[in-house]
Amino acid sequence: MSKAKEKKAHSDAKMHKSTAKDKRKKFWIKHNLKKKSEKTAAPKKNQEKPQPPQEAQQISANWKSLQQILKTSQPEKKHQNGVVTKKNQENAFKNSSTNSAAPSQRDPGKTGKQKIVPVVSKEAGVKLKLPAASVSQRSAAPKRKKDSEIPNREQTAKKMKKKNISLVEERKPTEEDLWFDNVDPDDIEETMGAEAAEIMRKKQGIRKQSKDKESSLVKEKAFDGLTRVVAIDCEMVGVSPDGEDSILARVSLVNQFGKCIYDKYVKPTEEVTDYRTAVSGIRPEDIKDGEDIQTVQREVANILQGRIVVGHAIHNDLKILLLDHPKKKIRDTQKYKPFRKIAKSGRPSLKVLCKEVLNIKVQQGEHSSVQDAQATMRLYTLVKKQWEAEIKAGKKNKDSEEKKKRKPR
């Protein structure tokens, strides 16, 4: 019995030793595992959480890391129709990321809970709840100001013009304001307005220029036949080697009201070397099939016979036509003394007289014998009474002087 007890006690002692050893081993194994886990866990604790990117370049660089964080944070969910795969989650995240701005570009002053927007996956038809972009988020690029916010320069300029116009309208110009002289009324009209130009015209004794030259030179609904007074003008071309000598190319006559009663091109009798188109307005096709010079001379002579003939430097026109006319029946606007005083020239041009007396611009480009004859007639009719009265007074003086000479002493 004693031997059996001893064996049993010896076996119990061995078992006790083995259990103690096992316990120690388990303890140290657990202890080592804890240390390893602490070592691995320690850097995770000390490691800072990934901060949101501050620049646009960091967004693209940290894109993969952001995707991995979201993959690990979102557990897989089952659905009746099937299982939600990671690919579905990635597609849903991409769709949501396009509508959301970068976290660094959010307004720091406005913080709040993000709205959860359900996103439907195209592949599995599953709704995923993802954070929606907040209302206060800004886009990657700064938004431009609306067109309504930007002041329109044209609109402001128009407003300023209206204000200036209203100020001018309130205070009308007077003669005291227009103290200066020798200024073209047309220039004043452009700068100061129509009222100021009208005052200057009255001051200078000039009538307002008509927009339509023909309407100002021709009397509308007037008699278009022959009258007691006619005006004549001719155009010439060059025929000498140098083009200095002239021959007749066109003849035009108008009646007292400015109506054209005769206008014909003349066929040249010599070779034309200079058509003088810039001044005469004559071209080769105009005079190629013109009238014979003898026919034109006869017709013009018949019209002028017994009538008062008005012209500007009319001796040149009669000379080229090889015609003569009584001096007492000629009215030359170039030689009329009041016109010379106005133009301040001994031989004023028709262009200058029309500008100074009629306030009409003629001969701006190619000349027209019809228009020149109309302008000459208009100058004459403007001073007709005064001119004819002076001629009559001159005749009386001459007659009285002749009578005195005839009386015997």
Side-chain angles (χ1 to χ4, degrees):
M1 287 295 289
S2 60
K3 285 182 181 180
K5 285 180 182 180
E6 285 176 4
K7 285 180 183 180
K8 193 176 182 180
H10 185 65
S11 61
D12 290 336
K14 282 183 179 181
M15 286 292 289
H16 181 70
K17 286 180 182 179
S18 62
T19 53
K21 284 181 180 181
D22 292 336
K23 284 179 181 179
R24 276 191 232 123
K25 281 181 182 181
K26 287 178 181 179
F27 172 76
W28 286 113
I29 288 164
K30 286 180 180 180
H31 184 68
N32 292 332
L33 288 170
K34 280 181 182 181
K35 281 185 177 181
K36 285 180 182 180
S37 62
E38 284 175 2
K39 284 179 183 179
T40 53
K44 285 182 181 179
K45 288 179 181 178
N46 296 328
Q47 191 177 1
E48 293 179 357
K49 291 181 180 180
Q51 293 182 353
Q54 299 296 324
E55 296 179 0
Q57 293 177 354
Q58 293 177 359
I59 295 169
S60 59
N62 298 333
W63 181 253
K64 290 182 181 180
S65 59
L66 289 167
Q67 279 186 328
Q68 289 176 0
I69 292 164
L70 288 165
K71 283 176 188 177
T72 53
S73 63
Q74 290 180 359
E76 293 183 358
K77 294 181 181 180
K78 290 185 180 181
H79 194 263
Q80 293 176 357
N81 297 333
V83 179
V84 179
T85 60
K86 291 182 180 180
K87 287 183 180 180
N88 294 336
Q89 290 180 357
E90 288 176 9
N91 291 332
F93 174 72
K94 284 178 184 178
N95 291 330
S96 64
S97 63
T98 54
N99 297 324
S100 62
S104 62
Q105 293 168 348
R106 294 177 184 173
D107 194 351
K110 296 178 182 179
T111 55
K113 293 182 180 180
Q114 291 182 342
K115 294 180 181 179
I116 305 301
V117 178
V119 179
V120 180
S121 175
K122 291 180 181 178
E123 295 178 6
V126 180
K127 289 184 179 180
L128 299 174
K129 291 183 179 180
L130 294 173
S134 62
V135 179
S136 62
Q137 288 175 350
R138 293 180 183 177
S139 59
K143 290 183 180 178
R144 293 181 181 179
K145 291 182 179 180
K146 293 181 181 178
D147 294 337
S148 59
E149 294 176 3
I150 300 169
N152 194 343
R153 291 181 181 177
E154 292 180 359
Q155 291 178 356
T156 52
K158 285 179 181 178
K159 287 178 181 178
M160 290 296 291
K161 280 183 181 179
K162 285 180 180 178
K163 286 180 181 178
N164 293 332
I165 290 163
S166 62
L167 289 170
V168 172
E169 287 176 352
E170 285 175 5
R171 188 184 176 280
K172 292 181 180 180
T174 59
E175 289 186 6
E176 294 177 358
D177 297 332
L178 304 172
W179 52 268
F180 40 83
D181 295 324
N182 299 325
V183 181
D184 193 349
D186 294 337
D187 297 334
I188 294 170
E189 188 171 358
E190 289 177 1
T191 54
M192 299 180 69
E195 291 181 358
E198 194 64 29
I199 292 167
M200 182 56 74
R201 286 191 186 98
K202 286 179 182 178
K203 194 176 178 182
Q204 295 179 0
I206 300 169
R207 291 188 300 173
K208 189 175 181 181
Q209 182 178 350
S210 176
K211 291 182 180 178
D212 189 2
K213 291 178 186 176
E214 191 175 352
S215 64
S216 60
L217 297 175
V218 182
K219 192 174 181 181
E220 294 180 2
K221 298 179 181 180
F223 178 64
D224 57 356
L226 282 168
T227 53
R228 195 174 68 88
V229 181
V230 294
I232 188 170
D233 189 73
C234 300
E235 298 295 344
M236 305 158 200
V237 290
V239 291
S240 64
D242 297 331
E244 292 179 357
D245 295 338
S246 301
I247 60 169
L248 186 65
R250 186 182 181 186
V251 186
S252 300
L253 287 100
V254 299
N255 65 7
Q256 189 175 343
F257 306 106
K259 298 281 186 177
C260 184
I261 55 175
Y262 189 87
D263 183 28
K264 282 190 178 180
Y265 289 99
V266 181
K267 193 173 183 178
T269 55
E270 301 177 42
E271 186 183 353
V272 179
T273 56
D274 186 6
Y275 285 91
R276 305 171 186 173
T277 306
V279 178
S280 66
I282 303 297
R283 290 172 175 78
E285 58 269 19
D286 295 332
I287 59 176
K288 185 180 178 182
D289 300 322
E291 193 72 65
D292 292 335
I293 183 67
Q294 291 82 7
T295 306
V296 172
Q297 284 174 339
R298 187 173 61 254
E299 290 173 351
V300 171
N302 291 332
I303 293 169
L304 299 183
Q305 189 175 7
R307 289 184 171 83
I308 295 171
V309 183
V310 182
H312 190 81
I314 194 171
H315 60 278
N316 293 324
D317 300 317
L318 294 172
K319 184 180 178 180
I320 203 70
L321 281 162
L322 301 175
L323 295 176
D324 193 13
H325 200 70
K327 190 176 180 181
K328 62 180 182 180
K329 295 282 185 181
I330 291 173
R331 306 289 183 267
D332 195 339
T333 53
Q334 191 184 54
K335 294 179 180 179
Y336 187 54
K337 288 181 181 179
F339 287 161
R340 287 179 175 181
K341 287 180 181 178
I342 293 168
K344 297 176 182 179
S345 173
R347 296 173 64 187
S349 65
L350 182 63
K351 184 178 180 179
V352 172
L353 285 179
C354 289
K355 177 69 175 134
E356 296 296 328
V357 179
L358 303 176
N359 195 29
I360 295 171
K361 294 177 181 178
V362 297
Q363 297 180 348
Q364 296 297 308
E366 297 178 5
H367 293 195
S368 169
S369 55
V370 174
Q371 189 186 77
D372 290 351
Q374 288 171 342
T376 308
M377 180 58 79
R378 188 73 190 92
L379 286 167
Y380 169 73
T381 55
L382 190 67
V383 293
K384 180 183 175 182
K385 289 181 180 180
Q386 183 184 345
W387 198 339
E388 295 299 330
E390 288 174 1
I391 291 169
K392 284 181 181 179
K395 283 181 181 179
K396 285 180 180 179
N397 292 332
K398 284 183 181 180
D399 292 339
S400 61
E401 286 176 1
E402 286 177 0
K403 284 179 181 178
K404 285 180 183 179
K405 287 178 181 179
R406 288 174 186 175
K407 282 181 181 181
R409 291 180 181 178

